[in-house]
Amino acid sequence: MTLRRLLTTVLAATAALALVAGCSEQPAPARSSAAPPLPPGLTTSTLRALPAADYGAVIPGLLAAPAQLRIRDSYKVVFDTAVYGDDFTTPVARLLAKNFLGEPSVVVRAETRGDWSLVLTPARQKLPSKASAASPAPTQSAAWVPTSALRHTAKLDKRVVVSTAKQTLTVVDAQGATLDSFPVGVGAKDTPTPTGTGYLQARYFDPAQDQTAHRIQLTSLHATAADEPYGGSDGGLIGIHHQTTATGAVSHGCLRLSAAAIAAVDALPLGTAIEIAD
């Protein structure tokens, strides 16, 4: 699936939109009270000089997301904010309050530590072409951010589970019980769908690809077998989209669904976890 034309079309159509939403913070219990203090605030010019951790960025200072994740809540980024690696001192990027659609950025967090939250980011930590067996390119990146930059938006009681071997996509509840299950088209041998856990970060129509009846569901995951498996320069994004052929190993890494299946995913709130396994 090629997202270069998609992003050009969507950006032009939605540049004027700015959604402002949110509700009161519902803090999760801190995993550890022993954490570094928050760093001093950055000047506006210093913050703007940091690379934006968006879908097309590659930022080595980001972290690989933890292998085991429990995503239970979604958050919106209140304002552009610096994110940090494990030293909690040197900013490595900035997390944007508005995403490429001009809408509030939705994130999820993996853990808390004092006044810090480890959030999943839309950016890459490393390109597959720069990876090795000893240091692979993670499909999902993460970074530490002051919790004060986040606003709680929703409790998440469902998640999406994909098996590339069985070629199934299943929506399960908090206890793991199956709510819906559908066939899914997955990546071909040379452009496999990556495994790992991410989340639904955005959704939109794309007239340029004849996606006007079913919204594309963009995940926070990235391809790990090739830098640009779709061609172009869309960052190896992994999307979920409607396709007439929605079974078999047929894609460049994205997930292809029937109309009924894409409707089930579209009904889930942004921030919902997606877990992809063999």
Side-chain angles (χ1 to χ4, degrees):
M1 160 183 169
T2 301
L3 294 183
R4 185 178 183 181
R5 289 183 305 158
L6 179 159
L7 295 176
T8 300
T9 300
V10 173
L11 282 170
T14 60
L17 295 178
L19 304 181
V20 180
C23 58
S24 60
E25 174 72 8
Q26 299 179 18
R31 179 172 178 175
S32 170
S33 59
L38 293 177
L42 303 177
T43 65
T44 300
S45 58
T46 302
L47 181 63
R48 288 179 177 173
L50 294 170
D54 60 17
Y55 70 90
V58 181
I59 304 172
L62 296 176
L63 307 170
Q68 301 297 321
L69 292 173
R70 292 188 299 173
I71 297 173
R72 296 176 174 174
D73 300 86
S74 64
Y75 299 84
K76 290 180 181 176
V77 181
V78 180
F79 45 78
D80 289 6
T81 185
V83 299
Y84 298 78
D86 276 334
D87 70 355
F88 294 90
T89 302
T90 305
V92 298
R94 58 192 168 102
L95 198 59
L96 303 177
K98 298 292 179 66
N99 64 16
F100 67 95
L101 297 168
E103 299 172 350
S105 295
V106 174
V107 296
V108 297
R109 62 185 182 185
E111 64 175 282
T112 59
R113 193 175 299 176
D115 293 326
W116 295 88
S117 289
L118 181 67
V119 299
L120 305 189
T121 89
R124 274 175 159 173
Q125 188 262 353
K126 181 187 298 183
L127 290 173
S129 61
K130 304 297 183 182
S132 65
S135 181
T139 189
Q140 177 64 61
S141 67
W144 290 99
V145 62
T147 302
S148 58
L150 307 177
R151 178 176 295 165
H152 186 273
T153 55
K155 296 291 293 183
L156 303 171
D157 58 0
K158 300 179 180 68
R159 66 185 191 277
V160 176
V161 179
V162 175
S163 168
T164 58
K166 296 178 181 178
Q167 296 178 5
T168 58
L169 180 147
T170 304
V171 179
V172 303
D173 66 16
Q175 289 71 46
T178 297
L179 302 175
D180 285 299
S181 189
F182 307 92
V184 61
V186 299
K189 180 180 179 181
D190 294 335
T191 54
T193 298
T195 58
T197 298
Y199 68 99
L200 301 178
Q201 63 163 311
R203 48 175 57 112
Y204 41 80
F205 294 108
D206 177 26
Q209 294 193 80
D210 198 29
Q211 296 286 344
T212 57
H214 309 282
R215 292 193 293 182
I216 291 173
Q217 316 288 310
L218 182 62
T219 79
S220 58
L221 301 169
H222 290 78
T224 54
D227 295 354
E228 296 286 352
Y230 328 113
S233 57
D234 41 29
L237 295 167
I238 301 302
I240 306 173
H241 60 96
H242 173 260
Q243 196 79 16
T244 303
T245 302
T247 58
V250 292
S251 80
H252 288 92
C254 290
L255 302 173
R256 299 183 178 185
L257 295 180
S258 66
I262 200 72
V265 177
D266 191 67
L268 300 171
L270 292 179
T272 296
I274 175 167
E275 303 168 0
I276 304 177
D278 294 330

